[in-house]
Amino acid sequence: MKYPERKNFTLIEMVVVIVIIAILAGIATPLYFNHVKTARINAAKMQIEIFDQAVTTYRIDMKKMPDSLEDLVKNPSGGKKWKGPYIKGGLIPLDPWDNDYVFKKPGDHGDFDIISYGADGMPGGEDENADIGNWNEKSE
């Protein structure tokens, strides 16, 4: 018995393929977004660690604490002791959620705090909205 040649897909075959693609997308999408969330949190922690080291170096050179993170990239008083910029590139980057980092002097957790307020840009919160600061890095 000879079967006729088929050139096109049937409607059922197309529906099966679409359902399989939808199932795979349903599984992969949450995994992807969870990875992105974790990557942003880790990037903020790394940047804060770099700022913390830069503030410490500035403090050693200038014999005082900077007034803001901007002091790490600009000579605030034209002092001769300044050996910056202390941040590579000469710019203070935004956090991974496009918010400014907060520099508090004196800090609530030490001599100074460097804070990213997370995805919501507001103090407090949980998960991706949680505050990330240089005190988190020192305690881990």
Side-chain angles (χ1 to χ4, degrees):
M1 177 176 203
K2 185 176 178 186
Y3 293 101
E5 289 187 33
R6 290 180 23 187
K7 294 182 182 178
N8 300 323
F9 292 108
T10 65
L11 182 59
I12 292 177
E13 290 171 330
M14 293 294 282
V15 169
V16 168
V17 169
I18 291 171
V19 167
I20 291 170
I21 291 172
I23 290 170
L24 291 175
I27 293 169
T29 302
L31 296 174
Y32 170 75
F33 283 115
N34 190 40
H35 178 71
V36 169
K37 181 180 7 174
T38 303
R40 285 183 176 165
I41 292 168
N42 288 335
K45 287 179 180 179
M46 293 301 289
Q47 285 179 327
I48 287 171
E49 186 176 325
I50 291 167
F51 293 149
D52 189 84
Q53 292 171 358
V55 168
T56 301
T57 304
Y58 177 98
R59 192 176 185 181
I60 290 168
D61 290 348
M62 299 294 285
K63 310 290 189 250
K64 66 173 192 160
M65 188 77 71
D67 294 322
S68 71
L69 291 177
E70 289 297 319
D71 291 353
L72 301 174
V73 294
K74 293 187 266 184
N75 191 346
S77 59
K80 295 178 183 176
K81 297 178 187 174
W82 195 79
K83 297 177 184 162
Y86 296 91
I87 301 291
K88 189 174 183 178
L91 295 171
I92 301 298
L94 297 174
D95 73 8
W97 301 276
D98 294 329
N99 300 313
D100 290 323
Y101 284 98
V102 176
F103 180 75
K104 290 174 75 175
K105 172 190 100 174
D108 298 327
H109 305 279
D111 292 339
F112 63 93
D113 291 345
I114 303 167
I115 308 163
S116 167
Y117 287 129
D120 63 356
M122 304 293 290
E126 295 180 8
D127 198 28
E128 194 176 18
N129 296 329
D131 298 347
I132 302 166
N134 58 330
W135 65 90
N136 299 118
E137 293 301 309
K138 291 175 183 171
S139 64
E140 290 180 356

